[in-house]
Amino acid sequence: MAGNQASAGHLLRLIRSGEATTRGELQQATGLSRSTVGHRLDQLFGAGWLRGAAGTSTGGRPSARLEFDPTHAVVLVADLETRHGRAAVVDLAGKVLAERTGSLLVTDGPDVVLDRIARWFGPLLEEAGTPPARVCGVGLSVPGPVDWDSAQVVQPPIMPGWDRFPVRERLRTALAEHLGPAGPGALGGTEPLPVYVDNDANLMALAEQRENYADCGAFVLVKASTGIGAGMVVGGEMYRGIDGGAGDIGHIRLHDRPDALCMCGSYGCLAAVASGRAIAEQLTAAGVPTASGSDVRRHLAAGQPDAVRLARAAGQRVGEVLVTVVTLLNPGVLMLGGDLASTPFLTGVRELLYQRALPRTTAHLQVVTTTLGDRAALAGAAVMVVERLYDPDRADARLAASANAGGGTAG
């Protein structure tokens, strides 16, 4: 292992992954001398990022196990839906320390919505017993395509006013307004607070894959709610395409529905026919008043016959599209999430998928529903932030910045 591959950040990666959890194992894995490993570990302990496993003292003993300390900082995460939002304070292992859900209309626009989310975090930090200075990053889930590098939402059909809005910068400003100066290494530090934004289906996929299918090399999650989107984890990495547009399957055209007007302005999109919004409109027309995908979910939970019938039919239409997705990606797991992720919808997807896809494509495919439920996007936002901040290169940069600033924890 050469160059910065033997840096403190890379030692941290080995410890976090469980590949090497003692000083001796780190020496063996890196080829570094005992003194160099000791120096790297001193950096990590000095930042507050490590602790002795199960409370054991490291005390210079080579046999003492080391582990990442998930309590040394917290992450703020939020999940925006079309009609409500969730926000939480979580530790670095994803444990929820405080959480709230509230009404929130994404159509009110980014200024209003982001300010409201920022207001929620003050009371949540108080409830968690955590000062703002311990915040090391923020993760935001949104129901639209996101350009990863700029953290901007791009041409979102159900988010009017959000296109190319500077979400990262506005959220930083709102947090500073509502939480105030926080001290070095966090909200009041010399570097801007890290804020990461991604599509909700992507973050749901990331959380579910990491939590339940870590060994699956090709994982697909389809979220069917107000809209329809997919998140893909391939080779352990989120696949976003060149500018965040991967997985937007709700806007694949169906050949036989040229009359169905979609929120994007086109006709015949899958989302115009088989989304929660589309089913809500169909139920209302059938005399069952339904305002949203959330209402569809409630009807499905109650076994309402029209909702069950329409959800199964919607599953079949989604299944038509997923035949191509599964044939192209050959995933090991296809997971269904969102308001429509019910037995009727799952049944419809399976019917079309197994009927039309080649047996070779589905021989080792699991078709399942979400296990993390409504908290999947929040969990994924936390995973996104932690994996980015403690990536070896980013971790080394943060350690260096902290040392140049005069020491103290790196947040």
Side-chain angles (χ1 to χ4, degrees):
M1 191 174 286
N4 70 353
Q5 289 186 329
S7 68
H10 280 79
L11 264 60
L12 181 66
R13 181 188 63 77
L14 292 171
I15 294 168
R16 290 188 66 219
S17 68
E19 295 177 58
T21 59
T22 68
R23 293 170 188 255
E25 289 173 352
L26 290 168
Q27 287 177 242
Q28 185 174 10
T30 63
L32 296 174
S33 68
R34 180 176 177 178
S35 62
T36 302
V37 167
H39 174 68
R40 301 280 193 269
L41 292 178
D42 286 344
Q43 291 179 275
L44 297 172
F45 275 108
W49 295 358
L50 290 186
R51 66 184 181 188
T56 60
S57 171
T58 58
R61 295 180 301 170
S63 61
R65 287 199 303 118
L66 306 165
E67 66 181 19
F68 181 65
D69 183 356
T71 67
H72 76 263
V74 297
V75 172
L76 306 181
V77 291
D79 172 26
L80 303 184
E81 296 281 357
T82 54
R83 300 167 65 90
H84 67 275
R86 294 184 182 84
V89 178
V90 300
D91 71 12
L92 302 182
K95 178 182 178 182
V96 175
L97 306 178
E99 179 181 1
R100 72 162 288 178
T101 300
S103 297
L104 186 154
L105 295 177
V106 75
T107 53
D108 283 344
D111 273 313
V112 171
V113 170
L114 296 174
D115 185 76
R116 190 169 304 158
I117 287 290
R119 287 178 185 272
W120 288 358
F121 282 124
L124 286 173
L125 284 166
E126 290 183 12
E127 182 182 338
T130 302
R134 294 184 60 223
V135 175
C136 66
V138 182
L140 179 65
S141 166
V142 298
V146 175
D147 181 282
W148 170 254
D149 291 331
S150 68
Q152 294 178 353
V153 187
V154 182
Q155 299 179 8
I158 60 176
M159 300 176 70
W162 289 76
D163 185 30
R164 291 296 181 183
F165 184 86
V167 174
R168 173 188 290 145
E169 293 76 13
R170 179 66 183 95
L171 189 52
R172 279 179 183 150
T173 301
L175 288 168
E177 290 172 356
H178 297 301
L179 299 183
L187 298 179
T190 56
E191 293 189 359
L193 176 69
V195 175
Y196 300 101
V197 184
D198 206 351
N199 169 261
D200 51 4
N202 283 352
L203 294 179
M204 291 171 68
L206 182 63
E208 294 279 5
Q209 191 270 343
R210 295 292 193 264
E211 178 74 16
N212 299 298
Y213 299 95
D215 294 332
C216 181
F219 177 95
V220 177
L221 180 142
V222 175
K223 181 185 180 185
S225 288
T226 300
I228 300 175
M232 297 164 285
V233 182
V234 180
E237 300 291 333
M238 178 60 61
Y239 181 75
R240 299 183 176 89
I242 60 171
D243 61 3
D248 204 3
I249 64 171
H251 301 286
I252 291 176
R253 307 286 179 84
L254 301 176
H255 72 280
D256 59 345
R257 289 302 308 273
D259 59 313
L261 177 61
C262 183
M263 289 286 291
C264 73
S266 297
Y267 286 87
C269 293
L270 177 65
V273 175
S275 66
R277 181 190 295 272
I279 293 179
E281 292 174 352
Q282 293 168 50
L283 284 172
T284 299
V288 183
T290 309
S292 66
S294 297
D295 288 345
V296 174
R297 177 193 289 199
R298 284 189 284 272
H299 289 318
L300 288 170
Q304 206 283 333
D306 290 318
V308 169
R309 173 179 57 82
L310 289 171
R312 181 169 178 172
Q316 292 173 334
R317 299 314 305 254
V318 173
E320 291 179 39
V321 170
L322 291 179
V323 169
T324 301
V325 173
V326 166
T327 302
L328 179 64
L329 292 178
N330 188 210
V333 176
L334 171 62
M335 178 175 283
L336 306 177
D339 291 329
L340 301 188
S342 58
T343 298
F345 186 78
L346 176 65
T347 299
V349 169
R350 282 177 166 165
E351 285 175 348
L352 262 291
L353 194 57
Y354 288 110
Q355 173 187 334
R356 298 191 181 181
L358 291 173
R360 170 69 183 84
T361 305
T362 58
H364 301 100
L365 175 67
Q366 299 180 61
V367 184
V368 297
T369 54
T370 177
T371 61
L372 297 176
D374 290 342
R375 287 187 172 86
L378 277 183
V383 171
M384 169 178 64
V385 174
V386 174
E387 289 191 354
R388 292 293 297 179
L389 289 183
Y390 295 92
D391 169 85
D393 292 340
R394 179 67 173 140
D396 287 331
R398 293 170 64 208
L399 290 170
S402 177
N404 292 335
T409 61

